[in-house]
């Protein structure tokens, strides 16, 4: 945030960048990932930076679905007239896991900052690699070109099956030396 002149500027810049790409978005910066996710999906602000207001106040008017709770817990709560996070906050904590499962309380605690929420980093996938070896040395350019085309088609099929694209490719040709006579 310091590099962009504060969190508000960072959020506005991210929203503008996505907008230029034709992506409609809501950007929320909050003290917890779960709260930011809930407020961006179910809140009313397109750009929000939450710094001083208690999370319980901000999350209270949102539907329970904003916590990412499973459908069974949401339906069970709706059956007894509980549809907002604020309604859940009014219930005794001790009764929540027994009646609605432990996941509801865990998700509520993560949104409020009472439980940590690990962030799983996106890891770059391993490079797609295809290999072909000739039975022996060749000096025929047509054979090398044909093999290159076949490997290109194989690579394209692999990338397609994995839902990936290539930004570039690298071809390595190695020549084995014949052993000395």
């Amino acid at each position: 945030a310091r590099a962009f002149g504060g969190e508000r500027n960072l959020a506005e810049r991210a929203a503008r960048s996505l907008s230029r790409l034709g992506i409609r978005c809501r950007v929320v910066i909050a003290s917890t990932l779960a709260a930011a996710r809930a407020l961006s999906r179910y809140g009313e602000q397109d750009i929000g930076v939450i710094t001083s207001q208690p999370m319980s106040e901000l999350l209270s008017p949102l539907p329970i679905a904003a916590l990412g709770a499973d459908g069974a817990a949401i339906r069970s709560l709706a059956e007894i007239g509980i549809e907002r996070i604020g309604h859940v906050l009014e219930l005794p904590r001790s009764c929540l896991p027994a009646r609605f499962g432990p996941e509801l309380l865990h998700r509520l605690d993560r949104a409020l900052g009472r439980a940590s929420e690990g962030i799983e980093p996106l890891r770059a996938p391993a490079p797609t690699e295809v290999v072909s070896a000739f039975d022996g040395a060749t000096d025929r350019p047509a054979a090398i070109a044909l093999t290159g085309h076949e490997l290109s088609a194989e690579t394209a099929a692999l990338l397609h099956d994995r839902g990936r694209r290539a930004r570039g490719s690298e071809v390595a040709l190695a020549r084995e030396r014949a052993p000395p006579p």
Side-chain angles (χ1 to χ4, degrees), residues 71-158:
I74 294 170
R75 284 189 298 279
S76 296
L77 287 162
E79 286 174 3
I80 58 172
I82 297 173
E83 297 177 347
R84 304 267 171 226
I85 294 173
H87 299 149
V88 175
L89 291 171
E90 294 172 4
L91 296 173
R93 285 179 60 85
S94 59
C95 78
L96 292 175
R99 292 191 69 185
F100 308 107
E103 184 65 19
L104 175 67
L105 188 58
H106 181 68
R107 288 188 176 268
L108 182 64
D109 286 343
R110 286 190 342 207
L112 296 173
R114 296 176 187 157
S116 64
E117 181 171 15
I119 299 173
E120 184 65 32
L122 294 175
R123 304 212 186 278
T128 300
E129 184 176 310
V130 292
V131 177
S132 180
F134 291 105
D135 290 335
T138 184
D139 59 355
R140 295 179 23 219
I144 296 170
L146 178 62
T147 302
H149 287 292
E150 290 171 353
L151 291 174
S152 293
E154 185 180 344
T155 302
L158 280 171

Side-chain angles (χ1 to χ4, degrees), residues 25 73 100 153 157 176 180:
C25 67
F100 308 107
E176 291 185 20

Side-chain angles (χ1 to χ4, degrees), residues 1-2 4-16 27-29 45-51:
R2 280 182 273 155
F4 296 96
E7 290 175 333
R8 163 96 24 212
N9 288 340
L10 174 62
E12 289 172 354
R13 186 171 180 172
R16 277 194 311 271
V27 180
V28 176
I29 297 175
Q45 297 178 346
D46 283 341
I47 298 175
V49 178
I50 315 312
T51 56

